[in-house]
Amino acid sequence: MATRRNLLVMGVAAATALVLGACGATAEKDGAGSGDDGKPVSGLRIMVPNTPGGGYDTTARTAAKVMEDAKIATGVQVFNLPGAGGTVGLQRTVNEKGNGKLAMQMGLGVVGASYTSKSAATLTQTTPLAKMIEEAGAIVVPKDSPYKTINDLVAAWKANPRSIPVGGGSSPGGPDHLLPMQLAKTVGIDPRQVNFVSYDGGGELLPAVLGGKVAFGASGFGEFLDQVEAGQIRVLAVTSEAPIEALRDVPTLRSAGIDLVFTNWRGIVAPPGISDADKKVWIDVLTRMHDSQEWKTELEKRGWTDAFVTGDEFGAFLTEQDKAVADLLKQLGLA
């Protein structure tokens, strides 16, 4: 059971040409600042390797806003470079060797996509900066769905798995793929029978759920909060150990009789070969952001779990995750 829980916990956000050009290795550093003089750092850019509106996008833009509001950094640029489950952005990050002003928002999905997309670039080539948050998953349906409870959905799913398409905002091997596969296995469905439809981030998944292109969606619950509040989407269950404060009336899978807990994580990495000074600037900025009241407020507001570690500790975690995901995907015949 401990091994299974560990695996589940493990697995278990449009850029213009101008912005992209500005983030190259030759980007100017004049006036960038180091923060050592007490002034806000400037010149930092965060790449989001999938579409606007998803979990990576939300996390990166929230972090940038907190840096601005808390006067930790100024003029932080967040831009999107979607494609291939995040590996287009990953390749760009690796290609930007030595660019200490660029970082990439990432998470478990990019780990998996680097294998399923057979990416030449890998996360082990990047410079680990910080693991930021963990977030529970959610099983969601549009407001007019015939499934009123998670058990209604599971009953229909078990009766004819291939007739119930499930959408996820990640490529195979990412958290939104692993979640329904683990859920299927837990309720007695052969994961190979699951009709999984992959979308490049929550920004693409959301309209698919709203438009009825999939019977249900599986992704981080924070990506749907606005639509839940607007009454457009219903959350049938969350995958956390305990109920989510932001979704007080929504059961956990366990409380609904389904023995599964699943947690996703997100972090931030820099290109390879950056200087120790640039790495220190990033880690100092991220640490000050993490310690700010503004960030604590965002964590509570969005239901994110604080999972902050930096530098070598995050690097060791990334190495562990990379191996675990690779092994799992090999078992599924996906890597």
Side-chain angles (χ1 to χ4, degrees), residues 85-267:
T87 58
V88 171
L90 175 59
Q91 184 67 66
R92 178 61 181 259
T93 302
V94 170
N95 289 348
E96 292 284 347
K97 182 177 181 179
N99 184 357
K101 302 308 172 188
L102 176 68
M104 182 180 74
Q105 182 71 64
M106 49 71 71
L108 180 60
V110 180
V111 179
S114 68
Y115 287 98
T116 58
S117 297
K118 303 189 186 308
S119 172
T122 68
L123 280 164
T124 55
Q125 295 174 277
T126 65
T127 302
L129 295 177
K131 178 185 175 189
M132 300 167 70
I133 63 165
E134 292 178 350
E135 180 183 39
I139 304 301
V140 302
V141 295
K143 63 180 180 180
D144 55 354
S145 170
Y147 311 118
K148 305 303 181 185
T149 69
I150 186 64
N151 290 308
D152 290 343
L153 172 61
V154 167
W157 200 20
K158 290 177 71 172
N160 193 347
R162 293 193 180 278
S163 72
I164 308 290
V166 50
S170 65
S171 60
D176 294 4
H177 172 252
L178 294 172
L179 170 52
M181 296 302 164
Q182 295 283 5
L183 178 58
K185 185 176 180 180
T186 302
V187 301
I189 298 171
D190 184 345
R192 293 171 297 182
Q193 298 295 311
V194 174
N195 182 3
F196 179 75
V197 185
S198 176
Y199 294 90
D200 197 359
E204 289 189 2
L205 173 62
L206 180 59
V209 174
L210 292 173
K213 293 182 179 180
V214 293
F216 69 100
S219 193
F221 78 88
E223 304 192 26
F224 304 106
L225 284 178
D226 290 345
Q227 288 70 35
V228 172
E229 293 174 357
Q232 297 175 312
I233 277 181
R234 286 188 285 114
V235 183
L236 299 185
V238 292
T239 68
S240 50
E241 186 86 47
I244 299 295
E245 180 65 23
L247 298 167
R248 294 188 187 93
D249 299 327
V250 176
T252 65
L253 288 173
R254 277 191 167 172
S255 69
I258 301 170
D259 189 19
L260 176 62
V261 173
F262 181 101
T263 305
N264 187 18
W265 59 268
R266 298 189 192 120

